[in-house]
């Protein structure tokens, strides 16, 4: 009887330990969301400082050369070089992008990569480098392609631009 009780207790303890270990191991979806959130933050850190030498090139490194960029107000851009020229002319030193906390959602795309969706605000610079309150708000979807361990943006949808 005692031996049976000891075996049962050992089984319960082993099951509890395995459950605790499984709870500490991030799910593939959690890991994917963390990866995409880090990529989003790094890409837009470069975007937000694209007037600084080297940052526009850093921003460019996140995009496929044949990226498709769909913007509800600006139209469609079919290549990274054109998108970067527009960024240089219309963004650098003029405003920055801020992800709205808690809005980034990520879904896997089997055999391809991931889809990210969220909301972002745009904050215009004042003279002297500080920013105005962030008055522009929009939604976005970004398609990320994974090739081995490298990720690149292949499609962007930026839409619903308006005021906060």
């Amino acid at each position: 009887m005692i031996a049976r009780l000891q075996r049962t207790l050992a089984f319960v303890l082993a099951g509890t330990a395995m459950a605790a270990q499984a709870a500490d191991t991030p799910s593939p979806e959690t890991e994917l969301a963390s990866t995409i959130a880090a990529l989003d933050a790094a890409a837009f850190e470069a975007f937000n400082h694209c007037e600084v030498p080297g940052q526009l090139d850093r921003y460019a490194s996140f995009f496929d050369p044949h990226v498709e960029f769909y913007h509800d107000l600006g139209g469609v851009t079919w290549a990274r070089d054109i998108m970067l020229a527009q960024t240089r002319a219309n963004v650098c030193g003029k405003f920055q992008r801020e992800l709205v906390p808690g809005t980034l959602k990520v879904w896997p795309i089997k055999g391809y990569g991931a889809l990210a969706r969220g909301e972002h605000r745009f904050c215009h610079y004042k003279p002297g480098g500080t920013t105005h309150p962030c008055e522009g708000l929009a939604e976005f979807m970004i398609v990320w392609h994974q090739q081995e361990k490298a990720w690149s943006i292949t499609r962007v949808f930026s839409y619903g631009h308006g005021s906060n």
Side-chain angles (χ1 to χ4, degrees):
M1 177 78 164
I2 292 178
R4 192 163 137 202
L5 186 59
Q6 287 174 327
R7 280 193 307 269
T8 301
L9 182 59
F11 180 75
V12 168
L13 290 174
T16 303
M18 287 183 354
Q21 182 180 9
D24 290 342
T25 305
S27 70
E29 291 82 13
T30 302
E31 288 182 29
L32 178 63
S34 294
T35 297
I36 297 302
L39 288 165
D40 182 88
F44 285 99
E45 177 67 18
F47 174 90
N48 289 342
H49 299 98
C50 60
E51 74 282 0
V52 175
Q55 291 302 304
L56 190 60
D57 290 336
R58 185 169 160 243
Y59 180 63
S61 73
F62 290 92
F63 293 87
D64 183 271
H66 304 289
V67 65
E68 296 175 14
F69 194 105
Y70 300 88
H71 193 284
D72 62 346
L73 302 178
V76 180
T77 304
W78 301 100
R80 178 176 59 196
D81 292 342
I82 296 167
M83 182 199 71
L84 292 173
Q86 292 173 345
T87 301
R88 183 181 295 109
N90 300 311
V91 174
C92 298
K94 295 179 176 101
F95 68 87
Q96 64 184 27
R97 180 252 199 181
E98 179 181 288
L99 179 66
V100 175
T103 65
L104 184 65
K105 306 288 185 236
V106 177
W107 295 270
I109 300 175
K110 184 178 180 180
Y112 190 80
L115 172 69
R117 187 222 163 269
E119 295 179 16
H120 48 203
R121 291 186 281 255
F122 298 97
C123 314
H124 290 272
Y125 290 110
K126 291 184 199 176
T130 60
T131 57
H132 288 283
C134 303
E135 60 276 335
L137 182 67
E139 296 182 45
F140 67 90
M141 287 192 299
I142 298 175
V143 178
W144 289 89
H145 184 209
Q146 183 181 25
Q147 292 179 302
E148 297 186 22
K149 293 189 179 199
W151 288 88
S152 64
I153 297 170
T154 57
R155 285 175 188 72
V156 178
F157 301 86
S158 188
Y159 55 94
H161 288 82
S163 299
N164 279 351

